[in-house]
Structures are given as C-alpha cells and as structure tokens.
Amino acid sequence: MNAPVRKAVLPVAGLGTRFLPATKAMAKEMLPIVDKPLIQYAIEEARAAGIEDFVLVTGRGKTIMEDHFDHAVELEQVLEARGKTRELDIVQDAMVPPGHLAYARQQNPLGLGHAIWCARQVVAGEPFAVLLPDDLVKAEPGCLAQMIEAYNDVGGNIVAVEDVPRDQTNKYGILDVEHDDGRLARAKGLVEKPDPADAPSTLSIIGRYILQPEVFEYLDKHEKGAGGEIQLTDAMAKTLGTVPFHGLRFKGRRFDCGSKAGFIEANVAFALERPDLADGLRETLKTYL
Ligand code: G1P
C-alpha cells in the first residue's frame, strides 16, 4: 500500500516577466482564465484529487494570494446585503479550510528545485504533489487525480508527460524511457532542457508531479544544473534506482499559460465551454478569422 498523497506544493515565486506590464504590481498566478485566477484552478484540481494541505512557495509581492484564499469580509457583507448569493458562493468557494494553507518564502530565486526545497518543513517526510500553476490542464477527471490513480498502482515518483516537437525539448525536463506501455513510461534517466540533438526522447514533463520525500536528500545539496539553477529534474534523476519513476500520459489538454499564446488559447478554450459565453464568443471569433 503506497503512502497517501495528502499535501501539495505550489511554487509561485516567479516574477512573470513575460507578462509585463500586467505583472508589474500583480502576481502572474492571479492572471485569470475567463474569470478565475490560475492559482485557483491549480488548488481546485488538487482538492479534487484528494489533496488536503497546501504550501504556496511565495516571494516578494505575492501576498495578494493570501488575501485571495481568505475571507473578503467587506465584499461578502455587501454581497449578502444585496442578496447576491451566487456571487457570494463564488467568493467563498475560493477558500481553503482554515489551517490547511501554509506559505513558505523562497528568499532567493535559485530555481524550481530550490523552491520545492523551501517547502520541506511542511512536507515533513510525506509523499507530496507539486503543481506548477502556469501549466493549466483541462481534463476530466483532473490531471492530478489521474496521477493519483496511477500512483496507487505503481507508487514512487510520477510526473505528467506529453510528447512535444523535438525542436522544443530545450524548454522541458525530458524522460529517457526504459519501458513504455503507451500510458505509463518508466524512466531510466531524466535531463533538464536538453538540446534537441541530445534529447533522449521527446516525452516532456509538464507541471504536475507526485514525489517521494527522498527527493529532499538531493535538493538539500543545492547542486546547480541547467541554466545555473537548482533543478527539480536533477534531484528526481538522482532518486532513479531507489525510487520507481514513471511518466503518465494524462488524458486532457495542457495549456502553457506561462506563454502569451498559451494563455490566450486557454482563455478561448475555457470560454467556449461556458454556457454563458460560448455561443456569442463562437460568432465573434468567426469575424476575426
Ligand atoms: C519547469 C521544469 C521542467 C518542466 C517544466 C514544465 O521548467 O524545470 O522540467 O518540463 O517546468 O512546465 P520551467 O518552465 O520552469 O522553465
């Protein structure tokens, strides 16, 4: 029986320079897809997968997220007084039960591996999930729920993967595959952002992980990898041989909301599934094409 995954770490300290000026005074994780911020999609996906406890690894200028997941007393009073129960539900649905959301500060931007390491005290030796809110996955059941299901079978470390065009391997962590049944790919190696010519495959990690706490033994060493950063991929690679490692080809569609094109595409895709928006938007879009 694999130890249950009850905790999730969400690194949210990045500066979001690709979305300036929108992110000059606002956290990029608060950018909305239709009307909900990216960070809330990630929390909801994790809660739907059974995650109970959350750690947001934050940095300067990110306290807006603490407010987002808390009561907005004045707003709630006004909505209540005006009888706006639907809006009140929307505001209150964003909340995480008291005591289940913690914040760890990443004091220096030393890489994704370092961000995860900053959450080690709260993870406290348990298996845990990592969600990168920039990667938005539209799936039913959610991507992390699919991964938990696979984890209950194979245990160990699991990442969500998808094939990318070979000329894009230098944007991702890439698996060196040992065995592949079309759904689960067992890895014998991992490389962070390899040049297309050197990539062992085109199977790339997207921002969903289930990790065993052994990864902290290597993150503790603060070794720098690709781009001079402390890489999560490198620490995971060091656990190969002691912890099983699988990539899950999840069912669903992933949007890279860290890029402008992916962000806009996600807005269109999510809006086209909204009954209040779909018909009008479809007609409007035709006029542009
Ligand atoms: C990070 C990881 C990379 C992974 C990617 C998924 O890279 O280091 O292994 O493939 O997220 O989005 P980043 O996008 O932060 O450069």
Side-chain angles (χ1 to χ4, degrees):
M1 176 74 177
N2 300 309
V5 184
R6 302 183 308 117
K7 298 181 179 179
V9 179
L10 294 92
V12 295
L15 292 177
T17 50
R18 278 189 276 183
F19 281 89
L20 285 169
T23 49
K24 184 179 172 193
M26 187 189 70
K28 65 170 173 163
E29 296 79 11
M30 290 299 292
L31 289 170
I33 301 301
V34 185
D35 49 14
K36 195 191 289 183
L38 280 167
I39 184 66
Q40 192 175 335
Y41 282 96
I43 297 263
E44 286 179 359
E45 179 186 326
R47 290 186 78 182
I51 300 293
E52 297 164 12
D53 293 312
F54 297 87
V55 193
L56 262 54
V57 182
T58 66
R60 189 170 294 277
K62 300 284 182 163
T63 49
I64 187 173
M65 281 181 272
E66 298 194 26
D67 290 338
H68 184 73
F69 291 108
D70 192 4
H71 275 295
V73 179
E74 280 178 16
L75 175 62
E76 288 172 43
Q77 281 171 353
V78 171
L79 293 174
E80 198 159 2
R82 293 184 184 168
K84 295 205 173 266
T85 48
R86 203 182 72 86
E87 287 79 1
L88 191 58
D89 286 347
I90 291 172
V91 168
Q92 292 176 342
D93 278 353
M95 295 184 54
V96 173
H100 289 274
L101 180 53
Y103 299 88
R105 191 99 166 194
Q106 186 186 21
Q107 290 156 333
N108 293 300
L110 300 179
L112 177 60
H114 178 258
I116 303 306
W117 177 80
C118 290
R120 67 200 178 285
Q121 300 294 353
V122 191
V123 170
E126 288 191 28
F128 62 104
V130 173
L131 298 97
L132 310 186
D134 278 359
D135 278 330
L136 177 59
V137 186
K138 197 155 163 303
E140 191 53 50
C143 183
L144 190 63
Q146 295 177 40
M147 292 169 70
I148 299 267
E149 197 190 332
Y151 171 79
N152 290 338
D153 287 340
V154 295
N157 291 338
I158 301 187
V159 292
V161 292
E162 66 182 14
D163 274 300
V164 296
R166 184 161 277 275
D167 65 2
Q168 289 182 23
T169 58
N170 56 2
K171 286 166 52 183
Y172 299 96
I174 301 290
L175 271 60
D176 188 356
V177 178
E178 184 176 44
H179 177 79
D180 192 345
D181 71 6
R183 175 173 165 265
L184 275 176
R186 194 170 67 227
K188 60 176 186 307
L190 294 169
V191 198
E192 179 67 10
K193 302 194 171 87
D195 282 338
D198 305 327
S201 78
T202 55
L203 206 52
S204 74
I205 301 173
I206 68 131
R208 299 290 183 278
Y209 308 71
I210 292 173
L211 297 174
Q212 301 304 308
E214 282 82 351
V215 77
F216 287 114
E217 291 169 24
Y218 301 98
L219 291 175
D220 277 342
K221 298 185 198 297
H222 285 204
E223 283 171 5
K224 290 183 179 158
E229 296 189 348
I230 300 169
Q231 297 289 357
L232 181 58
T233 301
D234 296 343
M236 293 189 302
K238 296 267 174 50
T239 69
L240 289 167
T242 51
V243 178
F245 191 102
H246 291 90
L248 172 71
R249 285 192 180 81
F250 59 98
K251 289 198 174 72
R253 176 113 191 212
R254 170 242 180 188
F255 300 91
D256 173 12
C257 295
S259 78
K260 293 181 184 84
F263 175 75
I264 291 164
E265 187 187 340
N267 266 294
V268 173
F270 277 72
L272 285 173
E273 294 223 331
R274 287 270 299 255
D276 54 332
L277 297 171
D279 291 348
L281 178 61
R282 198 168 284 114
E283 291 310 309
T284 312
L285 284 175
K286 279 185 200 155
T287 69
Y288 284 93
L289 299 173

